């Protein structure tokens, strides 16, 4: 008996399946039968159909093309395309790669599991090409076994400074491949303990084994790297990217690493940020650092994913022109075009740090000559720690749909990261993942919707939040239409509800310092001199207009002008960009202060409604799931109450303006 849940690969039996004749015969073409990914795909098809329908299908193979080796670029994305069609009263799956066949299999199994009518779904040939070349999960798992910003137990990769490989490892690969993930970084970007660096002889065999398991599901393994490894483990006194000794050390090291771990895709690097070493120490640029490593890994087919989360966490906020939000753009824009072609810059969705509402980073659409990747976070660091429900897919849809005005057409974030806008070979999307070794993988069962949804959306950015939620519920919890409707109805508004009882109008950061759960209105940990929100008795918000920090001007027009003007700026971001009197009228017609009061009271009530809806599902969903989510809702309500009371009383006391609806403010 496994000590973890199957989640959406549970393949529950279908009692009344209707016409299943097409599912008895399959023809797989374009690939070799012996390809490891194809072998896994066939095994999955058999397992799924047997469990759901009791069918043991005939599977034949058509002609095979030349084998495709897994890589991280556009050519892989092309090879991952698959078609499913009806042929000779059976189903045919065609692709140029094993991964494509695997995705075709999961397409069919998903439709069966969701209760779809296979005959009509595949009546005309279904051709699917992933929207993004790279679709990655970033683990912030430490070798000790704990997870930075982990809310669902410990790591299932590491324990006591060693690597764990067991049945769960393979099932994890299956789970994430089933939603289209094709890259995974297994260790934290904060690579700290030199004694347990994964790029040392001590770990090569096990990392290679992990790489093979992932490769069997079309997933490439990546590692986070300590930029100063030359010093930490190399015995050198420098990590200067232009120093010949440093370059020589990396050349030898990389040759060894790629020889020992042949499936490795490359590295993810956090440099010059939050205490991590980087090229700035040597007066070099981020491009110098990234290019040095990229040039060396190139001959091994590797890529360097370099994070743009570079800011000075020790900045002196008393200087009102200094602004953390500006840092990404200020540090990376001047070198647009300097990054070599196997470097990808990985950019957090917002300029700060995964707050519940931020504008889109101006680097996305600012950079025009550089490979770009979007980084989002499904680990709910600032969005409720997988205690509070926060279905993030609607937020990701907004991010992807944002028009950057970086070109005449195809200018959305989705267009840019797909590689289409600028014709990039390497691009894509990564999520800081929300998994751990809890029985249900994500702490809260419903947080599984973010893991499932991230993968589905990364694979097909056109899918709606609703469709993704519905698939998740049908595959993971219940096929009963009424139950599905209820749970989808709980998931969909949860992000906006969370926003309402926490941070209004884009203000952010009012969380308990360090922990990032629970309300602390003045809690921004990096400003020892004041408050992040800059509230006084007259007003609130950060002036990022051209009269303030100038951040608004980092956007392309017309976005810059819209954000720069409080009259044009969308309400939900207005305090991110402007310092405004509490009496300022929003587009909604409400004053800022009344908006704060209303959203907090409403948010709390809406959270209560969600919990109430969930309570009606007792006996209609598995008890384990029911109890897990109920217990989380109980904690969420206490948290929401606390937020509502603290925020409202804080701003009532600051502003002296009563709630126009006369509600009790504590
Ligand atoms: C992995 C935030 C988090 C850190 C995280 C960092 C990052 O600051 O609080 O835990 O470090 O982002 O993205 O590198």
């Amino acid at each position: 008996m496994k000590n973890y849940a199957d989640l959406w690969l549970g393949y529950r039996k279908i009692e009344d399946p209707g016409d299943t004749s097409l599912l008895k015969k399959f023809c797989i073409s374009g690939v070799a039968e012996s390809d490891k990914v194809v072998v896994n795909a066939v095994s999955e098809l058999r397992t799924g159909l047997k469990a759901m329908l009791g069918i043991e299908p005939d599977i034949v193979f058509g002609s095979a093309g030349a084998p495709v080796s897994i890589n991280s670029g556009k050519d892989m994305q092309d090879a991952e395309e698959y078609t499913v069609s009806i042929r000779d009263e059976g189903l045919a799956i065609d692709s140029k790669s094993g991964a494509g066949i695997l995705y075709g299999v999961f397409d069919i199994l998903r439709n069966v599991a969701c209760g779809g009518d296979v005959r009509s779904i595949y009546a005309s040939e279904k051709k699917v090409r992933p929207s993004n070349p790279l679709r990655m999960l970033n683990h912030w798992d430490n070798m000790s076994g704990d997870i930075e910003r982990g809310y669902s137990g410990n790591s299932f990769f590491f324990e006591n400074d060693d690597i764990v490989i067991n049945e769960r490892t393979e099932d994890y690969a299956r789970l994430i491949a089933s939603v289209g993930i094709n890259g995974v970084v297994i260790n934290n970007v904060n690579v700290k303990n030199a004694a347990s660096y994964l790029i040392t002889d001590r770990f090569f065999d096990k990392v290679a084994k992990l790489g093979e398991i992932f490769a069997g599901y079309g997933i490439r393994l990546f590692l986070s790297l300590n930029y100063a490894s030359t010093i930490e483990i190399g015995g050198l006194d420098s990590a200067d990217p232009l120093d010949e000794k440093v370059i020589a050390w990396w050349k030898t090291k990389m040759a060894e690493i790629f020889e020992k771990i042949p499936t490795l895709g490359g590295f993810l690097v956090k440099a010059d940020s939050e205490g991590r070493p980087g090229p700035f120490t040597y007066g070099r640029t981020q491009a110098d650092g990234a290019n040095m490593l990229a040039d060396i890994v190139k001959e091994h087919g590797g890529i360097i994913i370099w994070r743009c989360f570079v800011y000075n966490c020790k900045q002196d906020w008393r200087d009102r022109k200094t602004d953390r939000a500006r840092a990404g753009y200020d540090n990376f824009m001047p070198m647009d075009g300097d990054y070599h072609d196997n470097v990808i810059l990985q950019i957090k969705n917002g300029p700060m740090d995964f707050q519940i509402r931020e504008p889109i980073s101006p680097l996305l659409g600012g950079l025009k000559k550089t490979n770009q990747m979007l980084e989002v976070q499904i680990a709910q660091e600032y969005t409720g720690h997988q205690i509070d429900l926060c279905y993030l897919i609607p937020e990701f849809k907004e991010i992807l749909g944002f028009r950057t005005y970086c070109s005449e057409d195809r200018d959305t974030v989705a267009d840019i990261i797909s590689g289409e806008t600028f014709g990039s070979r390497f691009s894509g999307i990564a999520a800081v993942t929300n998994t751990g070794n809890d029985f249900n993988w994500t702490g809260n069962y419903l947080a599984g919707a973010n893991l499932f949804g991230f993968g589905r959306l990364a694979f097909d950015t056109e899918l709606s939040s609703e469709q993704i939620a519905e698939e998740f519920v049908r595959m993971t919890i219940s096929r009963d239409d009424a139950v599905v409707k209820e749970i989808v109805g709980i998931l969909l508004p949860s992000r906006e509800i969370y926003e309402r009882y926490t941070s209004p109008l884009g203000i952010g950061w009012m969380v308990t310092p360090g922990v990032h759960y629970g309300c602390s209105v003045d809690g921004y940990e990096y400003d020892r001199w004041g408050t992040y929100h800059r509230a006084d008795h007259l007003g609130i918000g950060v002036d990022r207009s051209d009269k303030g920090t100038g951040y608004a001007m980092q956007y392309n027009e017309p976005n810059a002008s819209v954000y720069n003007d409080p009259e044009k700026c969308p309400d939900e971001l207005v305090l991110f960009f402007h310092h405004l009197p509490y009496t300022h009228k929003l587009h909604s017609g409400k004053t800022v202060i009344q908006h704060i009061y209303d959203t907090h009271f409403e948010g709390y009530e809406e959270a209560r409604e969600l919990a109430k809806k969930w309570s009606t599902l007792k006996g209609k969903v598995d008890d384990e799931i029911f109890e897990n989510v109920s217990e989380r809702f109980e904690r969420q309500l206490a948290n929401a109450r606390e937020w509502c009371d603290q925020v409202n009383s804080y701003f009532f006391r600051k502003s002296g303006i009563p709630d126009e609806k006369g509600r009790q403010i504590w």
Side-chain angles (χ1 to χ4, degrees), residues 3-5 139 141 144-147 150-159 164 166 168 172 386 434-443:
N3 64 349
Y4 52 89
H139 285 258
D141 294 23
S144 55
D146 61 327
I147 301 177
Y151 311 109
S152 44
N154 282 336
S155 173
F156 44 78
F157 288 128
F158 310 119
E159 204 176 65
V164 177
N166 55 28
R168 189 168 189 155
Y172 176 62
Q386 287 139 242
N434 59 358
T435 50
N437 68 359
D438 271 4
F439 180 80
N440 66 13
W441 302 80
T442 56

Side-chain angles (χ1 to χ4, degrees), residues 140 148-149 189-190 270 274 307 309 348 353 381:
W140 286 356
E148 183 156 350
R149 311 305 176 189
V189 285
N190 291 326
K270 171 178 180 177
E274 300 181 335
R307 293 178 86 223
F309 187 60
K348 285 192 184 186
D353 191 14
E381 177 178 356

Side-chain angles (χ1 to χ4, degrees), residues 15 25 101 112 123 125 135 151 155 158 184 258 260 274 291 303 311 327 329 388 457 550 606 610 645 652:
E15 297 301 343
K25 215 168 93 183
I101 299 296
V112 173
E125 181 182 82
R135 308 175 297 277
Y151 311 109
S155 173
F158 310 119
V184 67
F258 280 93
K260 298 281 172 57
E274 300 181 335
N291 291 341
I303 60 170
Y311 74 104
Y329 192 95
D388 298 25
L457 191 63
E606 287 162 349
L610 293 187
D645 291 348
F652 170 57

Side-chain angles (χ1 to χ4, degrees), residues 136-366:
M136 301 189 85
L137 289 172
N138 291 181
H139 285 258
W140 286 356
D141 294 23
N142 294 317
M143 294 294 295
S144 55
D146 61 327
I147 301 177
E148 183 156 350
R149 311 305 176 189
Y151 311 109
S152 44
N154 282 336
S155 173
F156 44 78
F157 288 128
F158 310 119
E159 204 176 65
N160 300 325
D161 290 328
D162 206 350
I163 295 176
V164 177
I165 300 178
N166 55 28
E167 200 190 357
R168 189 168 189 155
T169 322
E170 178 121 8
D171 277 333
Y172 176 62
R174 283 176 60 226
L175 260 184
I176 62 175
S178 74
V179 289
I181 296 296
N182 68 355
V184 67
V185 184
I186 55 173
N187 61 326
N188 190 357
V189 285
N190 291 326
V191 186
K192 283 185 181 160
N193 180 7
S196 55
Y197 281 7
L198 291 170
I199 55 168
T200 55
D201 204 26
R202 186 176 154 211
F203 295 110
F204 281 144
D205 289 349
K206 286 186 181 168
V207 178
K209 178 80 197 137
L210 280 176
E212 266 170 45
I213 293 173
F214 283 123
Y217 291 89
I219 300 164
R220 274 207 121 179
L221 174 73
F222 288 77
L223 299 176
S224 293
L225 199 65
N226 184 310
Y227 179 77
S229 297
T230 43
I231 302 173
E232 301 287 333
I233 57 171
L236 303 187
D237 59 2
S238 172
D240 181 347
L242 305 189
D243 180 331
E244 286 306 326
K245 287 191 302 300
V246 170
I247 297 170
W249 185 87
W250 275 119
K251 276 191 176 155
T252 311
K253 189 63 179 168
M254 288 300 182
E256 184 190 11
I257 296 172
F258 280 93
E259 191 206 321
K260 298 281 172 57
I261 316 168
T263 57
L264 193 67
F267 298 93
L268 174 65
V269 188
K270 171 178 180 177
D272 287 312
S273 174
E274 300 181 335
R276 294 300 81 219
F280 281 168
T281 310
Y282 306 94
R284 311 298 185 196
T285 65
Q286 296 298 298
D288 290 331
N291 291 341
M292 180 269 290
L293 290 170
D295 291 350
I296 297 171
V297 300
K298 191 167 188 170
E299 67 173 284
H300 309 289
I303 60 170
I304 296 296
I305 305 174
W306 193 268
R307 293 178 86 223
C308 294
F309 187 60
V310 176
Y311 74 104
N312 176 10
C313 62
K314 298 205 173 110
Q315 77 175 51
D316 188 339
W317 284 78
R318 284 171 297 185
D319 167 10
R320 290 306 199 215
K321 291 278 177 199
T322 313
D323 182 4
R324 173 176 169 179
R326 294 188 56 108
Y329 192 95
D330 285 346
N331 283 319
F332 286 89
M333 262 313 278
M335 290 156 299
D336 188 20
D338 292 348
Y339 300 91
H340 293 175
D341 64 358
N342 60 332
V343 174
I344 311 181
L345 294 188
Q346 183 164 301
I347 305 164
K348 285 192 184 186
N349 59 271
M352 297 297 277
D353 191 14
F354 301 133
Q355 302 303 291
I356 187 67
R357 178 79 66 175
E358 287 187 43
I360 309 304
S361 166
L363 274 175
L364 292 157

